[in-house]
């Protein structure tokens, strides 16, 4: 059943609140993230979002890294992943422990939205035993069906995915509330109240999704790795072509960028937040859980 309402909001939206922080980081070459940038090392922070929903409680969008990454990459073939990608995460930086420090039990988290299945976005999934997982069918199919031997070549460490993932998954395509946004395309209303709208952003990874949320202060698009640097949107500065080797589809990637550009042009007041572009969100990060800023 498709709703006739536009995703830009004729329905009365629930007031939600947002908190952003990151759990760990990896190092990367600036010249890979943006073609033409100097070949120096930069930190790719692993962003997560906590959304406070008046009825659904705390909803997480991506989890960042966890120290499970180190356990997962102790032996071959995953060890190769750790050779290529230098990851830095301490236990106290894990999203689980950041929530505990704020007085929230990981057992109480019932909803986690997964943008895609790379280790820097799903590192903490196993720390939330009671959560339902929201993701695209395509992303889940690739992650669940790829063999443990070849998963690392697609950025997927199978050991980070809970064994009962499929039983706890809510695939977006099966949600009852769907609508078509003229720019974002098919939009999935996760709770049926317009509070969190998911949409496709494929290319970087198979079946990647982003979400659109609106707090009292602003509209935010969490765009995951649809771009690594906001200049892909604002100045047409794309990654070095070498990274195409690791992308699921360069054509889809470019189409997702065009979609976000068109959205930003139409809605200049909306803030696009790529997961690893610190310039986009460093001023939004609070050291402790705080829903009053965003
Ligand atoms: Zn990432």
């Amino acid at each position: 059943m498709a709703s006739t309402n536009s995703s830009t909001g004729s329905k009365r939206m629930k007031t939600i609140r947002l908190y952003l922080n990151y759990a760990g980081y990896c190092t990367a070459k600036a010249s890979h993230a943006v073609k033409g940038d100097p070949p120096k090392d930069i930190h790719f922070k692993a962003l997560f979002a906590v959304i406070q929903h008046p009825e659904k409680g705390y909803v997480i969008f991506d989890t960042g890294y966890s120290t499970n990454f180190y356990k997962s990459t102790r032996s071959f073939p995953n060890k190769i992943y750790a050779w290529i990608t230098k990851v830095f995460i301490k236990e106290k930086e894990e999203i689980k422990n950041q929530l505990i420090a704020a007085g929230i039990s990981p057992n109480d988290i019932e909803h986690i939205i997964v943008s895609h299945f790379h280790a820097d976005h799903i590192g903490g999934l196993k720390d939330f035993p009671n959560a339902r997982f929201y993701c695209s069918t395509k992303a889940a199919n690739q992650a669940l069906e790829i063999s443990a031997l070849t998963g690392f070549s697609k950025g997927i460490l199978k050991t980070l995915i809970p064994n009962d993932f499929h039983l706890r998954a809510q695939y977006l395509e099966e949600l009852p509330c769907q609508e078509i946004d003229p720019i974002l395309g098919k939009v999935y209303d996760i709770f049926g109240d317009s509070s969190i709208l998911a949409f496709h952003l494929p290319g970087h990874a198979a079946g990647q999704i982003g979400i659109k949320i609106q707090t009292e202060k602003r509209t935010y698009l969490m765009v995951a790795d649809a771009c690594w640097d906001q200049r892909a949107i604002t100045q047409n500065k794309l990654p070095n072509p070498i990274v195409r080797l690791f992308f699921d589809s360069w054509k889809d990637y470019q189409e997702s960028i065009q979609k976000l550009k068109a959205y930003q042009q139409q809605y200049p007041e909306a803030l696009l937040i790529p997961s690893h572009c610190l310039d986009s969100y460093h001023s939004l990060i609070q050291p402790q859980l705080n829903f009053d800023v965003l």
Side-chain angles (χ1 to χ4, degrees), residues 252-268:
D252 288 353
Y253 176 82
Q254 288 178 305
E255 283 175 12
S256 291
I257 292 268
Q258 291 307 324
K259 192 193 272 195
L260 294 176
K261 258 190 202 167
Y263 189 88
Q264 189 75 91
Q265 270 174 2
Q266 181 82 21
Y267 302 103

Side-chain angles (χ1 to χ4, degrees), residues 115-118 136-143 145-146 150-156 200-209 225-226 228 239-256:
S115 69
H116 64 296
F117 284 77
H118 289 167
S136 78
T137 310
K138 196 170 180 188
N141 281 350
Q142 187 198 52
E145 287 167 13
I146 203 165
T150 55
F152 81 93
S153 68
K154 294 279 180 196
I156 294 165
H200 293 287
L201 285 174
H204 166 76
Q208 179 177 244
I209 58 159
D225 291 12
W228 281 334
N240 190 306
I242 198 173
V243 306
R244 293 184 194 197
L245 288 171
F246 309 105
F247 279 20
D248 183 61
S249 160
W250 185 250
K251 180 175 164 284
D252 288 353
Y253 176 82
Q254 288 178 305
E255 283 175 12
S256 291

Side-chain angles (χ1 to χ4, degrees), residues 11-224:
K11 264 187 278 185
R12 188 169 170 78
M13 265 187 256
K14 296 268 190 287
T15 303
I16 57 161
R17 302 162 86 204
L18 174 66
Y19 170 73
L20 297 175
N21 206 336
Y22 52 85
Y25 65 92
C26 69
T27 53
K29 287 268 176 267
S31 51
H32 288 177
V34 176
K35 186 175 169 234
D37 272 10
K40 61 171 188 181
D41 279 343
I42 52 171
H43 290 181
F44 260 35
K45 309 277 190 191
L47 187 74
F48 66 80
V50 182
I51 298 160
Q52 190 183 39
H53 186 285
E55 287 150 17
K56 305 291 180 183
Y58 299 110
V59 181
I60 291 171
F61 175 79
D62 286 349
T63 67
Y65 282 117
S66 78
T67 55
N68 284 335
F69 178 87
Y70 299 130
K71 292 174 211 140
S72 296
T73 53
R74 260 186 214 144
S75 50
F76 286 105
N78 291 352
K79 202 170 190 172
I80 299 167
Y81 192 132
W83 282 346
I84 297 168
T85 310
K86 295 286 171 219
V87 172
F88 301 85
I89 171 88
K90 296 180 185 136
E91 269 189 34
K92 69 171 186 182
E93 297 164 341
E94 296 176 352
I95 182 172
K96 168 188 77 175
N97 290 321
Q98 292 193 43
L99 290 173
I100 290 170
I104 300 168
S105 165
N107 294 340
D108 292 339
I109 301 296
E110 294 180 4
H111 309 281
I112 299 181
I113 302 163
V114 178
S115 69
H116 64 296
F117 284 77
H118 289 167
D120 49 328
H121 299 258
I122 63 154
L125 289 190
K126 282 191 168 174
D127 295 325
F128 299 94
N130 301 317
R132 172 172 281 264
F133 303 118
Y134 301 81
C135 62
S136 78
T137 310
K138 196 170 180 188
N141 281 350
Q142 187 198 52
L144 299 177
E145 287 167 13
I146 203 165
S147 79
L149 273 175
T150 55
F152 81 93
S153 68
K154 294 279 180 196
I156 294 165
L157 300 175
K158 302 265 291 187
T159 44
L160 296 177
I161 302 173
N163 294 331
D164 58 354
F165 185 92
H166 183 62
L167 298 173
R168 294 160 62 193
Q170 170 64 64
Y171 300 113
L172 298 181
E173 293 83 352
E174 293 169 7
L175 284 169
C177 289
Q178 302 182 16
E179 45 201 50
I180 302 290
D181 180 277
I183 298 173
L184 299 176
K186 198 166 255 189
V187 165
Y188 306 91
D189 186 347
I190 287 190
F191 296 129
D193 60 4
S194 298
S195 62
I196 304 176
L197 302 171
F199 54 92
H200 293 287
L201 285 174
H204 166 76
Q208 179 177 244
I209 58 159
I211 57 169
K212 178 185 156 194
I213 50 181
Q214 194 176 324
T215 67
E216 281 190 332
K217 294 178 179 155
R218 197 161 188 181
T219 298
Y220 298 91
L221 263 63
M222 307 294 302
V223 303

